[in-house]
Amino acid sequence: MKGRLIFSAVALMLIALYLKSCFPVGFSYKPFLYFQQNQQMRREMKERHKDLLYFHQTLLRIKEAVPEEVMTYMEVIPMRYMEAPQTLTCKDLMYISGLDFIGSGFTKVVMKGTLLNGKSIALKSVHGEGNDMKQCVQQYGDHSACHRLATYKLQKEIALLQILRHPGVIQLHGQCYVNSAPSDIRVTAMLELGSPLEMIQLLQTPWEERFKICWELVQLLHYLANSPMGSIALLDFQPRQFVLVDGSLKVTDMDDATSEEPTCRQDKDCALAFPAKTFNITCSKTGRCTGSNEKRNLYNAYRFFFTYLLPHTAPTALQPLLQDIMNMTGDLHIGINDTVKAFEDVLHVYKSGMNDSHVHNLHDYTVLKGYRMNGTDGEFRCWPSYNHQGCLLSVHSAAEAAQFCNARPQCRNFIISEQRTWTGRFLTSFTKNSLQLVEDENYSVFVKRSGHSDMQEG
Ligand SMILES: Nc1ncnc2c1ncn2[C@@H]1O[C@H](COP(=O)(O)OP(=O)(O)OP(=O)(O)O)[C@@H](O)[C@H]1O
Ligand SMILES: *[C@@H]1O[C@H](CO)[C@@H](O)[C@H](O)[C@H]1NC(C)=O
Ligand SMILES: *[C@@H]1O[C@H](CO)[C@@H](O)[C@H](O)[C@H]1NC(C)=O
Ligand SMILES: *[C@@H]1O[C@H](CO)[C@@H](O)[C@H](O)[C@H]1NC(C)=O
Ligand SMILES: *[C@@H]1O[C@H](CO)[C@@H](O)[C@H](O)[C@H]1NC(C)=O
Ligand SMILES: *[C@@H]1O[C@H](CO)[C@@H](O)[C@H](O)[C@H]1NC(C)=O
Ligand SMILES: *[C@@H]1O[C@H](CO)[C@@H](O)[C@H](O)[C@H]1NC(C)=O
């Protein structure tokens, strides 16, 4: 029995040694050994190295690429295990064109570039002139060690992006590791390209679009609270950590994410402090502030997203439900699971037309099926509208559109299109008089009977 144990231990060591021998140039072994820094720098380097290793092991565990026993012997994960098939590599990076700066933060810089196949992607790397590097160099005076420290953050982010697969997490298309010296690793993450989240711009979009952003955020937070790594908190939670891809919200900055709930000895240690409010969380028997990560994310969603995007110009019928959501999340009376339910309720009521019973409104209108207006003549403005020059809104039914039109003296007609918004509502233009009509099977024009509108068929 004992003999077999020794044998299998030896076998495992051999496998581990074999794995180590296939380290690609991209991974230096125990990189902190190359730096002759003071104690504090070495400690930090070791800490981040250990942290990254944990993320890499988690990733491989999820992918089931390497047997569990082998992983415990590994100090650094061979690159070939990290790569997923059909992802971009350094080779794709060589042929990239049209490089252009898009953004930078404390640690990283992001460029836009075009692949050989014509697709645009985002390239993320360590920001050599960023404040993270600057502060570190000022403190330790070692440029290459500081670069390594910052690179650990990017590597952790890359690992997390691979572990967390959700529509609300930016997609990693590939990664490139290049090293000119054992201590000098240049890492580039190749990501799905997004556009920055402009809150001011979002405030000018229809409520339905703003609700979509909040709903996508809630779904992301539900996933993060129940992720393969446990409950994950985004420690640095601000709109600038998110981008929009095809109108959908995605988190792009994950280097400040943590999968550990804070440790504690007493409830006092778990106080979750925000500028305007502090929440009390109980310290569990195992010495963790259980639930802290989920609460932190949810309150941040409330203060940075919901307060700005949710109540503003919401449909009257939804306002009580939304007020409830604001109240419950603002005081953390509910967790993310109940928040998901509350959003689903809102969505359900919204999709079902908010019990609209305005069919009688339609009696005043003549319907011209298969027509639309030619050009933008006769438009008037309303706010917030899907377009800037006119009044383009979503409606559940012609009856709802008629109700809107009846409440506005300048409105004489509306044109419903077959085109639907993400909730399935119909995009509808509201216009004054003087309509020039053209045939189009995907539209229906509704003209108010009372009063006259100068209609011309073109
Ligand atoms: N995939 C992407 N597509 C488009 N822009 C992006 C993408 N990823 C990041 N950006 C932009 O680049 C900026 C910097 O990226 P990132 O937030 O990852 O860097 P950082 O150094 O961690 O920043 P911070 O100081 O906010 O922590 C972001 O604020 C964002 O506007
Ligand atoms: C949190 O606890 C402190 C004291 O431990 C107390 O003063 C405060 O009122 C509590 N806050 C809430 C929201 O319960
Ligand atoms: C929630 O409602 C209660 C009671 O009306 C109120 O005291 C509290 O301030 C509200 N909280 C938020 C965050 O709106
Ligand atoms: C929340 O929902 C997830 C599944 O959607 C479930 O696994 C988890 O236990 C729920 N959490 C709570 C606190 O109910
Ligand atoms: C809509 O009508 C249904 C059934 O008639 C009712 O149960 C629901 O509470 C109503 N919702 C609103 C928001 O009025
Ligand atoms: C109407 O919509 C359908 C489906 O989107 C499209 O295939 C068709 O070409 C449209 N008709 C016109 C006249 O644009
Ligand atoms: C639409 O309007 C343009 C000019 O605004 C005109 O040239 C064109 O003939 C019109 N089309 C129809 C079908 O009336």
Side-chain angles (χ1 to χ4, degrees), residues 374-375 436-439 457-458:
N374 184 21
Q436 245 201 354
L437 298 182
V438 288
E439 279 187 62
E457 196 175 322

Side-chain angles (χ1 to χ4, degrees), residues 182-405:
S183 61
D184 181 33
I185 308 179
R186 303 276 146 170
V187 179
T188 307
M190 291 171 256
L191 304 165
E192 186 176 25
L193 180 64
S195 54
L197 196 63
E198 301 284 357
M199 278 311 214
I200 307 280
Q201 227 165 296
L202 268 183
L203 283 175
Q204 298 169 37
T205 61
W207 178 83
E208 192 172 347
E209 294 307 295
R210 283 180 273 117
F211 176 68
K212 178 168 178 266
I213 302 289
C214 295
W215 172 222
E216 286 168 347
L217 180 62
V218 163
Q219 290 171 94
L220 171 65
L221 296 189
H222 177 257
Y223 172 77
L224 291 181
N226 302 287
S227 92
M229 293 194 80
S231 183
I232 290 181
L234 303 173
L235 294 181
D236 186 11
F237 192 120
Q238 286 179 58
R240 69 157 193 270
Q241 321 294 358
F242 296 86
V243 292
L244 292 180
V245 178
D246 297 330
S248 290
L249 185 79
K250 306 205 178 215
V251 63
T252 166
D253 189 351
M254 293 232 90
D255 60 2
D256 285 313
T258 178
S259 62
E260 278 179 19
E261 306 263 23
T263 54
C264 55
R265 290 191 177 184
Q266 45 187 327
D267 290 354
K268 215 174 62 186
D269 303 333
C270 292
L272 191 56
F274 294 96
K277 222 169 209 172
T278 298
F279 296 98
N280 295 332
I281 295 172
T282 47
C283 182
S284 77
K285 285 199 190 85
T286 53
R288 295 270 175 191
C289 307
T290 311
S292 175
N293 285 352
E294 176 182 330
K295 287 189 160 66
R296 175 193 276 270
N297 285 345
L298 188 55
Y299 187 73
N300 274 326
Y302 163 82
R303 70 180 179 132
F304 286 116
F305 287 82
F306 301 169
T307 54
Y308 298 107
L309 303 179
L310 216 43
H312 182 58
T313 68
T316 319
L318 299 179
Q319 276 166 13
L321 293 176
L322 295 172
Q323 210 42 59
D324 263 6
I325 291 181
M326 297 293 288
N327 191 286
M328 300 298 247
T329 54
D331 287 337
L332 289 182
H333 285 317
I334 54 174
I336 191 64
N337 283 11
D338 288 331
T339 307
V340 168
K341 283 204 199 91
F343 269 77
E344 279 169 349
D345 287 347
V346 173
L347 193 56
H348 179 75
V349 176
Y350 191 58
K351 279 184 172 175
S352 65
M354 297 170 281
N355 289 355
D356 92 77
S357 53
H358 318 292
V359 180
H360 61 277
N361 289 328
L362 272 176
H363 298 332
D364 308 335
Y365 289 83
T366 306
V367 190
L368 298 160
K369 272 205 157 106
Y371 284 94
R372 64 172 165 84
M373 55 178 184
N374 184 21
T376 58
D377 236 22
E379 287 195 331
F380 64 87
R381 289 184 172 198
C382 67
W383 194 84
S385 158
Y386 276 93
N387 63 8
H388 290 300
Q389 67 279 5
C391 187
L392 183 63
L393 305 174
S394 76
V395 299
H396 177 253
S397 64
E400 187 189 323
Q403 194 205 12
F404 178 89
C405 193

Side-chain angles (χ1 to χ4, degrees), residues 102 110-113 120-124 189-194:
I102 40 177
V110 180
M111 308 280 291
K112 178 183 162 171
S120 289
I121 57 165
L123 305 171
K124 205 185 257 197
M190 291 171 256
L191 304 165
E192 186 176 25
L193 180 64

Side-chain angles (χ1 to χ4, degrees), residues 372 418 439-443:
R372 64 172 165 84
E418 285 296 319
E439 279 187 62
D440 190 323
E441 57 179 332
N442 292 326
Y443 293 82

